[in-house]
Every structure is written in structure tokens, then in C-alpha cells.
Amino acid sequence: MNRRSVPISAVFAVLTVLAAACSPSEAPSGSTASSESATTSAASPAPSPTTGPPVATPVVADVVAAPVPVPGTDGKVHLAYELKLTNVLDQEVTLTSVAVREGDRTLLELSGDRLPYWTRIIGTPSPATKLGPAQTAIVWLDVALDKDAAMPTALLHTVGISVPKPIPPLFPATMTEVVAPVTVQTRKPVVISPPLSGPGWLDGNGCCDMGAHRMALNPIDGGLWAAERFAIDYVQLGADGLLFTGDQTKVDSYPYFGADIHAVADGPVVGAVDGLPEQVPGKSPTGLALNEYAGNHIVQDLGDGNYALYAHIKTGAVKVKPGDQLTAGQVIGSVGNTGNTDAPHLHFHVMSTPDPLRSDGLPFVFTSFTLDSRVINADALGPLLDGEQASMQPGVAKRDETKVIPMDLDVMTYETK
Ligand SMILES: [Zn+2]
């Protein structure tokens, strides 16, 4: 749950491990699970994206992972993924546009102010379009298509660039590259039930805007992992619209602290940690080891290469152990404030391996829930975190939703189990 003006310093930063936050010596051991949908191979050059003759490209590109389409509460189908661009020249390169295409059909175009909004030099927090020599940028992509539109199967990316010192004929002053062909994954989002019950559950840091989860790229074991691409930080708005009353630094001031967490589907537990202490709300913890970021947590195998993570569980409240066969709706723990968290919440996501951080984040949809309202924008979370009400988006009609993923800032009621 971040304030959008400083997206990297997330308020509910939870699992975010940015480049500056960990070193190779902190990498976990024994985590060897693989994913067919993980990062693209860097071992061999990318296939040619066009059928024409080879073209020199001063910016080389690939994607962190191929996208998996998912329908959202906004009526759109989202392809959320990341384009990685590296300047291989010994001079600065300016990005002027980035587009996602299928053949001649343009699905998304970023230029003007929208391009820096979605772009960061890796390891830095500020919007950027200039890449110094050897610098790498990430462009976070959210291709949002009408749900009745034809779904693309193969994507290309066009990247407009300019260089101050042209090197004709290879590198003219301006050029448009066609790079990073990628095949849209054919897998479907796993269908699950919500991990909580009752009214007022706010989706913090949800897909697909430039929030803490989308921007979390974890440098682990030599790879870059977008484990939290579709993650949700759940907090509960009370009937008074507040997160807490009284002392902000006490977990008991948050009425949903200790709320039941439910298994989202049938399936075995493959990881469980308990015993880590509650953090003090209102500030971010420091000095955490990599395996402490999720706090007390449970990992459940949902089948078909989908693993659910329930994180920051209350100390002593993890009710299950590896090998336990869970049934959907079963109470498995309580909302807490352990690990990398600064207010009680449930961090939930689905991923490609049992490792909370070294995974590819996968989309999911809920069988059914009620969308009640939506916080007007991320800036409105500031007052909420200060103990005041958040402004709500006008015109959001309460409605039942089926088989969609909640979107960032949605406020929902989940059927009481
Ligand atoms: Zn989170």
C-alpha cells in the first residue's frame, strides 16, 4: 500500500526486495524449483523479431516473463508483464516510445508523460527515459483489452530511441527498433476462492498499476523475479471507514488483526513458517534476512504449477504444516504483522514455485465476490494510514463479480465461510 509519489518506499512493502536491499550472500539455498513460465533464457540470443534483414539495435531487450491474460473488475483483460531494455552503446540513449503490437495491431503505446511513468532505470526509484551506457531499464506493461476483443497470441515490441551522437549508417539520430518477440502463455488463471471473509477488504498494491508489488523485481540466484506481479495486500476498512482507532503503533488497534485466513482451494501445504515476531505498525522493519520477508507464512500447492502464498501471519497462529491436505475455506491462520510489513495485513499471491520471492507471479481469479466500492486513488491511502477515512471513487456501483481478479484499490465483501 504505497503512496504513489514514492512508489519504491511502500507502506505495506511486504515482500519487496529491491536491488539495493539484498546481496548475493543473502540468497536462499535449496530452492531449486523451476518454472516453465519463468524468465526468458539469457543463454542464447533472442530470435529475430522480423522477417527482414538483420538490423543493429543499440538497445537490446527481452521480457521478464511471457504474459498470462487475466480478466479484472474493470471489465478489461490484462496482460501485465515487464520489458527489460539495456543500452549497449557508450553514449546515452533516450527512449521516445514503447509500443506492444501483434502484427500491425497496436495494443498499447507509451509516449509523452506515460512513458516515464511506467519506466525506471533498474535499481532506481524515479521515472526515467534516458539510459546511460550499459544501463538497463524496466518498462512495466499493462495491456488492457476489451474482454470481447481477440486475444493476441504473439507480441512484438517497438521501441523508439534517439542518440545524441549518431553513428551512421548503423545508429541514426532517431530509430525505431522491433524487439523482444514473446508468445502469450496459453495457461489460464487458477480459479480460487478468496482468502478472507466478511466486508470491507481493500486490495492494496494490486494489479496492475505502478505499485509496490508490480515494481518489486527480486534479484535472486542470478535471476530477476516478479513474484508479486499480481499480489494483494489486504487490509479491512471498518464500518466507520477506518483502518484503526487509537494508537497506530499497536497491532490491537487494527480490528482485523487476527482475522481468519482461509485456504483458497484444496491442496497440500508445501511450506509453513511460524515464530517470527510481530512488527511495530507505522514503520518498516530493517535487517531482515531474505527468508524473513514473508514473515510467518504458508505456501499451498494449488496444482498446475500454481502455488499460493499467505504471508505476514500472526505469531503462533499458523495452524497447518507441510504435508497437510487443505480444503477450500479451511481456516489456516490469522492476519498478522510479521516480516516486512508496517501495518497488519494479509499479503496474498499466486506464484510459479513454492519460493515466495524466487517465483514468477501468476494471475488468479476468484469464483465470486461482491465489489462494494473503490478508493479514489493511491494518494487517498495516505489519510487512511494516518487514521482517517479514504476518499472513495464516485460512480462505482456495488455488484457481484465472477471469475475476475480484484484490481488495485477495490473494496470487497467476501462470503462468510
Ligand atoms: Zn504485499
Side-chain angles (χ1 to χ4, degrees):
M1 180 105 49
N2 61 299
R3 304 172 199 231
R4 202 56 41 100
S5 56
V6 283
I8 293 266
S9 67
V11 172
F12 296 156
V14 277
L15 300 179
T16 307
V17 182
L18 291 162
C22 83
S23 65
S25 63
E26 293 174 304
S29 60
S31 179
T32 56
S34 63
S35 165
E36 61 180 350
S37 58
T39 52
T40 52
S41 170
S44 58
S48 176
T50 66
T51 55
V55 177
T57 51
V59 171
V60 298
D62 59 9
V63 297
V64 174
V68 179
V70 61
T73 52
D74 60 354
K76 304 285 189 181
V77 176
H78 293 260
L79 286 76
Y81 64 110
E82 306 81 25
L83 183 64
K84 182 154 60 80
L85 303 172
T86 299
N87 171 19
V88 299
L89 296 186
D90 64 354
Q91 60 175 304
E92 186 177 85
V93 167
T94 299
L95 305 176
T96 56
S97 66
V98 169
V100 180
R101 290 175 20 210
E102 184 183 48
D104 294 333
R105 178 184 171 208
T106 298
L107 305 173
L108 173 69
E109 180 150 23
L110 301 175
S111 59
D113 291 344
R114 276 164 47 83
L115 183 55
Y117 177 86
W118 291 97
T119 305
R120 300 290 183 276
I121 303 299
I122 205 161
T124 70
S126 302
T129 54
K130 295 182 186 303
L131 282 67
Q135 281 192 323
T136 294
I138 301 290
V139 185
W140 280 266
L141 301 169
D142 176 23
V143 177
L145 303 171
D146 290 337
K147 60 177 185 253
D148 297 327
M151 276 305 110
T153 57
L155 304 175
L156 288 174
H157 304 86
T158 56
V159 178
I161 62 173
S162 65
V163 295
K165 294 178 287 185
I167 310 172
L170 291 184
F171 307 129
T174 63
M175 60 184 295
T176 300
E177 299 182 355
V178 182
V179 294
V182 62
T183 301
V184 176
Q185 295 196 55
T186 54
R187 67 180 301 147
K188 302 297 183 195
V190 62
V191 181
I192 54 179
S193 56
L196 296 156
S197 64
W201 289 108
L202 166 60
D203 174 342
N205 292 327
C207 204
C208 299
D209 207 343
M210 290 287 278
H213 288 151
R214 274 225 70 190
M215 295 176 71
L217 293 174
N218 304 324
I220 297 177
D221 290 349
L224 206 53
W225 301 91
E228 302 164 58
R229 186 182 287 119
F230 298 99
I232 295 175
D233 284 339
Y234 280 110
V235 294
Q236 189 176 34
L237 302 182
D240 53 7
L242 302 179
L243 278 192
F244 67 91
T245 53
D247 187 346
Q248 181 184 10
T249 65
K250 306 290 188 198
V251 290
D252 290 332
S253 299
Y254 300 73
Y256 59 91
F257 178 75
D260 287 343
I261 300 168
H262 302 263
V264 296
D266 297 347
V269 174
V270 294
V273 169
D274 201 348
L276 292 169
E278 304 298 334
Q279 303 289 352
V280 176
K283 63 180 182 182
S284 295
T286 57
L288 294 176
L290 197 56
N291 61 6
E292 295 175 334
Y293 273 73
N296 303 322
H297 66 273
I298 297 166
V299 177
Q300 182 188 11
D301 186 351
L302 306 178
D304 291 331
N306 297 290
Y307 295 85
L309 172 68
Y310 314 79
H312 311 310
I313 297 172
K314 182 179 176 181
T315 305
V318 173
K319 299 180 186 298
V320 297
K321 61 184 184 307
D324 287 357
Q325 182 68 36
L326 304 184
T327 56
Q330 178 180 343
V331 175
I332 57 174
S334 309
V335 173
N337 193 45
T338 59
N340 189 30
T341 169
D342 59 7
H345 72 286
L346 171 67
H347 171 108
F348 176 81
H349 75 227
V350 174
M351 55 193 176
S352 63
T353 83
D355 191 306
L357 297 172
R358 186 189 175 282
S359 282
D360 187 37
L362 296 172
F364 53 90
V365 295
F366 290 146
T367 311
S368 64
F369 61 95
T370 303
L371 175 65
D372 293 320
S373 57
R374 183 176 293 131
V375 172
I376 191 165
N377 55 39
D379 290 338
L381 298 177
L384 199 60
L385 294 160
D386 292 333
E388 301 168 13
Q389 292 179 337
S391 298
M392 306 307 289
Q393 183 176 320
V396 176
K398 180 175 177 173
R399 59 182 185 266
D400 293 333
E401 295 280 4
T402 303
K403 292 188 177 176
V404 295
I405 189 171
M407 306 300 292
D408 189 28
L409 303 176
D410 282 353
V411 179
M412 296 158 282
T413 295
Y414 295 145
E415 182 181 341
T416 301
K417 298 282 194 316

